């Protein structure tokens, strides 16, 4: 199974933990704790907005750094990058192109490989459509 299910936008973490568009923040926190997936959380405005930071997520012969962003206590987007295990080299852009098959927009949101405008480093962005 792919880390990101392109048919619905779900992110599948080892454990297993599935992060879907619009996942409740408290439910996500509970699942991460139950499956002992280490994370840090940054809250803004009494917890209404913020991010979960997950490091060292192993999947698909890669190690991912994932940021799960939330808005109004529901998951709203993901940002991530990865490093490949030795012998499994692939560029971030090639991995994203293979994942999405040349399509940028989906019924549930958008997936792009881009460069961070401030730090000029590559990253993957998954933005869920607002409900």
């Amino acid at each position: 199974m792919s880390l990101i299910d392109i048919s619905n936008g779900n992110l599948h973490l080892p454990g297993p933990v599935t992060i879907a568009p619009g996942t409740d923040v408290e439910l996500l926190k509970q699942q991460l704790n139950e499956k002992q997936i280490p994370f840090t959380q940054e809250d803004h405005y009494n917890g209404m907005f913020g991010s979960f930071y997950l490091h060292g997520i192993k999947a698909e012969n890669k190690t991912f750094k994932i940021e799960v962003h939330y808005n109004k206590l529901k998951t709203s987007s993901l940002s991530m990058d990865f490093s490949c295990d030795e012998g499994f080299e692939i560029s971030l852009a090639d991995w994203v192109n293979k994942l999405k098959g040349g399509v940028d927009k989906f019924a549930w949101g958008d997936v792009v490989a881009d460069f961070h405008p401030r730090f000029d480093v590559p990253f993957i962005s998954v933005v869920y459509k607002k409900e």
Side-chain angles (χ1 to χ4, degrees):
M1 177 184 303
S2 180
L3 183 70
I4 299 172
D5 184 342
I6 215 68
S7 69
N8 57 20
N10 290 352
L11 176 71
H12 299 286
L13 301 177
V17 171
T18 298
I19 301 171
T23 297
D24 179 79
V25 169
E26 289 304 315
L27 175 62
L28 175 57
K29 190 186 303 186
Q30 178 184 352
Q31 290 177 340
L32 293 172
N33 283 324
E34 284 176 359
K35 299 301 181 175
Q36 298 179 344
I37 297 173
F39 66 92
T40 56
Q41 183 178 5
E42 184 177 286
D43 273 332
H44 302 287
Y45 301 106
N46 296 321
M48 291 293 288
F49 307 92
S51 302
F52 288 93
Y53 300 95
L54 311 162
H55 298 277
I57 303 298
K58 298 286 287 175
E60 303 175 13
N61 302 311
K62 296 164 193 58
T63 303
F64 289 84
K65 291 184 284 183
I66 302 171
E67 296 176 19
V68 180
H69 309 286
Y70 56 92
N71 183 343
K72 298 180 183 171
L73 300 175
K74 303 286 184 190
T75 55
S76 58
S77 65
L78 310 168
S79 303
M80 66 181 82
D81 66 5
F82 63 79
S83 59
C84 293
D85 294 348
E86 191 172 327
F88 294 95
E89 298 302 319
I90 186 170
S91 75
L92 184 133
D94 288 345
W95 184 79
V96 171
N97 286 336
K98 181 180 174 189
L99 172 76
K100 62 186 189 164
V103 178
D104 291 327
K105 300 188 181 301
F106 300 90
W108 51 265
D110 304 329
V111 178
V112 296
D114 208 345
F115 281 86
H116 191 286
R118 184 171 172 198
F119 303 110
D120 198 33
V121 295
F123 71 98
I124 302 161
S125 175
V126 178
V127 180
Y128 301 136
K129 288 189 177 172
K130 292 184 175 145
E131 297 178 0

